[in-house]
Amino acid sequence: MAEVTKLIHKYLRHDKKFPHVWCPGCGIGIMLGALIRAIDKCGFTKDEIVLVSGIGCTGRLPVYVDFNTLHTTHGRALAFATGVKLANPKLKVIVVMGDGDAVAIGGNHFIHAARRNIDLTAIILNNSIYGMTGGQYSPTTPYGMKTTTSSFFHIEQAFNISELAVTAGAPFVGRGTVYHARLLDSLMEKAFLKKGFAVVEVISHCHTQFGKLNKMGTAVEMMEWQRDHAVTVEKAAQMKEEELKDKFRIGILIDKELPVYLDEYEKIRTGSSGSGDRRP
Amino acid sequence: MKREKKKNFRELLLQGNEAIVEGALRAGCRFFAGYPITPATEISEQLSTRLPKIGGTFIQMEDEIGSIAAVIGASLAGAKSMTATSGPGFSLMQENLGFAIMAEVPCVIVNAMRGGPSTGLPTSPSQSDVMQARWGTHGDHPIIALCPSTVRECYDITIKAFNLSEKFRNPVIILVDEVVAHMREKITFYDDEEIDIFNRVKPSMPPEWYIPYEDTPSGIPPMANFGEGYRYHVTGLTHDIRGFPTSRPDEIDPFIRRLFRKISQHFSEIQFGEFFETDDADISIIAYGCVARSAKRAAIDARARGVKVGVLKLNTLWPFMRTAVEKVLNTSKIVIVPEMNMGQISREVKRVNKGPTKIFTINKVDGTIITPEEILARIKEVG
């Protein structure tokens, strides 16, 4: 059996009604592949993984895989995940979100999760648009682009999700694309093994909505765009700012050590354990 | 040698909010997430110091939306969980409250009611969230809402709220008004008090046989916690018995009906209150929360003057105590419903009234409690 087939049989749900909801050529499948390969490589058991998502195309991801899966309300995945992790720290909690889910409706939860540094992994698929609802502009839609709610041109500036995560205090932030699939595997693996809040931004494409409205071609052509505009962190360090103008960096943007929430909370627990609780 | 007399009870002077904390801990609450808001903040403050001492977890979230989300997540991971808020925060919680109903996740939400709408009256009492508790979240859904009127009831009702939520896999709302939340009363805990604690029923079958949302005679499927080997899907989408999203009418209908049935076939376990001298009463007052206290005082004073007045105190607001209310509607000529809102429970009383009984209301919305004198005056006026 080929390696890829083995993982499909091991991790996809056999009792789930397929086919999946994603369009042919969508990048979410590539991200799911990377996610499964990284989980398998890290050696987590299926029982200890909790895969949490919000709403949208990316939000549909957990239903297909054989973990403890939680498909929450729009934007709130990280808040649900916070409760799961704090109630049972033994669980490995992974959160998948789209760009609208993570930094529009869920933006507040995102920056606070980064600041709080609970041991969670946040994977954000950024395709610059709301796909499921039919192609409206999202907080990561670049200036000047067309969407179904900016049919003239988009007049807002876009969020840079990874930089937002770094600024908000996340100790690990990586960015990859669905074109650079092997890099994505390694970023996810590192993020899963990181103690603390780890973010992986996955630059993807929505050829059905964003690509069509902006004449960017097929899924393949949009992935070629990713190839041509992504620059590794190492290479970017050698380049001038002007050369980087229409490029984005991929790789590990930050990896630092910070006190992890549950370790700190344990200090509170043990520090006060002497008095006990004698009240009814 | 000094001999110590061993007491088998402890007397404490507690606030309603503090009694809620005691009740929660007694019921087995081990997770609390909240956001500061008057008049519920004491619950957060106390649990932030109490929970870590017993291996539980407290977290202050970034808002009330995140608070209830974390509470649901913690419950799915196996912890009895609670949040506490007031009107504005309760409004923010509505969407995820619906999620907990849909995904059948036990949790307790305390709403210390203050005056509204909007920011309203942060430190003044009100009873105006009764209908929001019933219909605040979108979609057709069942709900349980309980209402204490004494500090002791705050303790007992919080335990009951946890028990009901665990048993019926449904969120339970505690609607406490600001008066009861902040009022201090003596509360006695007896060492030999027998308190029933109910823990969620877990699956007894092997994981491969587990069907997470399968119908049962009680309508309540057993609940597996995350990490216990029963890997299943939890979603706010309408789902089939395996938890997977469905749009098949033949799967949607039985699911929604089961959600209602699991509450409606257990009314007797959920509904409780107190009949105070209603048997021979010409006039009955139906009241709840702090107003029930005034009503009782008014009834005693009225009887001293020769007017037969009784009180039906409602401790369960939702599902509406139709049977108990019908009982007083059948025996009393007049029913008065005093409320600190423009008429929320009185609408329900009028709805179930099929006989000649006259129903009068007292509606007070100025941020102050309805006094016994005001109820007495109304008795005089209509009696």
Side-chain angles (χ1 to χ4, degrees):
Chain A
M1 205 168 6
E3 198 58 37
V4 59
T5 327
K6 258 189 226 164
L7 292 184
I8 285 171
H9 285 289
K10 186 171 173 188
Y11 289 103
L12 289 199
R13 274 187 167 132
H14 297 259
D15 52 355
K16 173 72 190 86
K17 291 172 252 179
F18 277 90
H20 56 68
V21 298
W22 303 312
C23 307
C26 180
I28 298 176
I30 298 170
M31 179 177 82
L32 175 58
L35 182 105
I36 281 173
R37 285 189 294 274
I39 285 175
D40 195 67
K41 205 165 172 205
C42 290
F44 298 116
T45 67
K46 291 200 270 186
D47 283 335
E48 69 184 317
I49 300 274
V50 180
L51 196 56
V52 187
S53 71
I55 296 292
C57 295
T58 310
R60 292 301 182 98
L61 183 145
V63 73
Y64 305 113
V65 279
D66 188 17
F67 303 117
N68 304 285
T69 53
L70 174 57
H71 176 220
T72 73
T73 46
H74 199 16
R76 318 301 171 199
L78 279 167
F80 278 79
T82 298
V84 172
K85 182 67 185 178
L86 295 187
N88 186 353
K90 286 184 202 134
L91 296 170
K92 179 72 202 169
V93 185
I94 300 165
V95 184
V96 287
M97 297 169 281
D99 42 296
D101 204 29
V103 295
I105 188 165
N108 201 28
H109 305 302
F110 180 63
I111 55 174
H112 286 279
R115 169 185 70 77
R116 204 173 268 138
N117 198 24
I118 296 177
D119 199 5
L120 301 170
T121 308
I123 295 167
I124 302 162
L125 183 123
N126 180 2
N127 60 7
S128 310
I129 204 155
Y130 287 87
M132 186 166 271
T133 47
Q136 297 78 26
Y137 65 79
S138 89
T140 57
T141 301
Y143 175 87
M145 303 308 274
K146 283 184 179 165
T147 70
T148 56
T149 45
S150 62
S151 45
F152 304 104
F153 67 101
H154 192 45
I155 58 171
E156 297 175 17
Q157 300 297 320
F159 257 143
N160 183 321
I161 295 177
S162 291
E163 282 175 24
L164 178 67
V166 170
T167 312
F172 182 95
V173 180
R175 187 197 276 133
T177 80
V178 292
Y179 175 86
H180 303 84
R182 283 167 71 183
L183 172 70
L184 208 52
D185 285 19
S186 79
L187 285 176
M188 287 205 195
E189 201 187 317
K190 288 189 179 88
F192 294 155
L193 297 173
K194 176 75 188 179
K195 211 158 171 342
F197 189 70
V199 178
V200 178
E201 181 187 3
V202 183
I203 303 292
S204 187
H205 53 272
C206 178
H207 54 290
T208 312
Q209 310 287 1
F210 192 80
K212 190 175 78 185
L213 291 162
N214 293 292
K215 300 189 168 58
M216 291 178 76
T218 61
V220 173
E221 284 166 297
M222 289 185 81
M223 286 176 76
E224 284 166 354
W225 181 93
Q226 292 163 21
R227 177 196 63 197
D228 298 338
H229 291 78
V231 182
T232 62
V233 171
E234 295 76 23
K235 201 175 162 195
Q238 316 291 325
M239 289 165 72
K240 292 192 192 94
E241 205 170 307
E242 219 177 81
E243 296 171 297
L244 285 166
K245 228 171 85 184
D246 63 340
K247 302 279 196 291
F248 60 89
R249 294 183 301 154
I250 54 170
I252 296 169
L253 303 186
I254 197 161
D255 188 359
K256 61 180 179 184
E257 298 304 319
L258 281 176
V260 182
Y261 186 94
L262 271 163
D263 294 343
E264 299 302 302
Y265 201 79
E266 200 50 40
K267 288 179 193 166
I268 295 174
R269 280 189 182 137
T270 48
S272 61
S273 63
S275 63
D277 190 86
R278 293 186 202 93
R279 292 223 198 162
Chain B
M1 214 173 120
K2 214 169 91 181
R3 278 181 66 184
E4 273 181 50
K5 198 182 164 194
K6 208 183 163 205
K7 281 204 291 189
N8 65 345
F9 64 90
R10 290 181 313 114
E11 287 173 331
L12 297 170
L13 182 67
L14 291 186
Q15 218 181 32
N17 280 341
E18 291 167 348
I20 287 171
V21 168
E22 300 302 334
L25 295 174
R26 184 70 183 82
C29 173
R30 290 297 177 269
F31 183 85
F32 181 96
Y35 186 83
I37 188 165
T38 307
T41 312
E42 293 86 359
I43 299 172
S44 285
E45 285 176 345
Q46 292 220 337
L47 283 170
S48 75
T49 58
R50 301 283 295 279
L51 279 170
K53 290 181 188 173
I54 52 171
T57 312
F58 164 91
I59 187 168
Q60 185 171 305
M61 292 297 286
E62 50 275 11
D63 56 30
E64 287 88 348
I65 303 171
S67 301
I68 186 168
V71 159
I72 296 167
S75 184
L76 284 165
K80 289 190 184 178
S81 307
M82 181 172 91
T83 183
T85 187
S86 186
F90 191 53
S91 293
L92 288 178
M93 290 183 183
Q94 294 301 328
E95 187 194 9
N96 283 338
L97 177 66
F99 183 93
I101 295 166
M102 187 63 138
E104 298 177 71
V105 186
C107 56
V108 174
I109 299 127
V110 179
N111 176 10
M113 290 185 284
R114 67 191 219 186
S118 190
T119 313
L121 302 160
T123 57
S124 299
S126 148
Q127 297 179 314
S128 49
D129 297 345
V130 174
M131 277 297 170
Q132 193 191 15
R134 180 63 197 88
W135 296 114
T137 191
H138 60 275
D140 218 353
H141 59 274
I143 197 75
I144 299 173
L146 308 177
C147 177
S149 68
T150 68
V151 169
R152 175 74 209 196
E153 278 180 5
C154 285
Y155 176 75
D156 294 336
I157 277 180
T158 305
I159 295 171
K160 179 130 184 154
F162 274 96
N163 286 347
L164 294 177
S165 77
E166 290 283 314
K167 176 151 194 191
F168 298 111
R169 295 189 59 181
N170 207 72
V172 175
I173 298 161
I174 299 174
L175 286 176
V176 59
D177 50 71
E178 187 273 342
V179 171
V180 178
H182 279 162
M183 176 182 64
R184 288 184 185 276
E185 274 185 319
K186 187 174 87 173
I187 177 166
T188 311
F189 296 113
Y190 296 92
D191 291 349
D192 56 354
E193 237 170 303
E194 271 183 36
I195 290 168
D196 290 330
I197 302 295
F198 191 93
N199 299 317
R200 64 190 64 169
V201 175
K202 289 188 185 179
S204 53
M205 64 287 271
E208 60 273 24
W209 290 6
Y210 180 54
I211 301 173
Y213 292 97
E214 193 178 29
D215 200 355
T216 63
S218 67
I220 311 148
M223 179 174 176
N225 297 328
F226 280 169
E228 292 179 346
Y230 296 81
R231 297 183 302 274
Y232 70 106
H233 188 59
V234 178
T235 177
L237 283 164
T238 306
H239 40 272
D240 62 20
I241 54 172
R242 293 193 174 276
F244 297 137
T246 183
S247 47
R248 274 173 51 179
D250 63 322
E251 289 178 335
I252 299 165
D253 182 83
F255 168 64
I256 299 294
R257 285 182 194 280
R258 179 176 64 75
L259 288 186
F260 276 83
R261 180 164 58 80
K262 72 178 182 179
I263 303 298
S264 64
Q265 73 183 26
H266 298 98
F267 275 173
S268 60
E269 285 175 63
I270 300 167
Q271 295 177 336
F272 65 107
E274 184 191 346
F275 292 96
F276 179 75
E277 303 197 346
T278 51
D279 287 351
D280 66 339
D282 295 321
I283 300 176
S284 284
I285 305 163
I286 298 177
Y288 53 95
C290 66
V291 179
R293 304 168 70 99
S294 298
K296 227 170 175 176
R297 182 76 253 165
I300 293 165
D301 290 352
R303 280 192 180 256
R305 292 173 206 181
V307 189
K308 285 182 181 168
V309 177
V311 178
L312 167 59
K313 179 171 82 179
L314 306 177
N315 283 123
T316 303
L317 295 183
W318 306 114
F320 185 63
M321 291 173 60
R322 185 181 190 130
T323 314
V325 169
E326 278 173 346
K327 199 177 159 195
V328 296
L329 286 171
N330 287 337
T331 55
S332 310
K333 296 185 188 81
I334 289 171
V335 163
I336 301 173
V337 188
E339 287 180 281
M340 292 158 71
N341 57 48
M342 289 300 282
Q344 299 193 10
I345 283 294
S346 64
R347 286 173 68 109
E348 291 297 299
V349 175
K350 287 172 185 167
R351 179 174 66 82
V352 301
N353 182 27
K354 304 291 184 212
T357 314
K358 285 182 183 151
I359 294 163
F360 297 94
T361 63
I362 302 174
N363 303 112
K364 201 170 184 191
V365 287
D366 63 357
T368 62
I369 188 171
I370 297 176
T371 63
E373 293 73 30
E374 286 169 320
I375 297 174
L376 272 172
R378 190 73 167 142
I379 290 168
K380 225 170 166 182
E381 191 184 319
V382 304

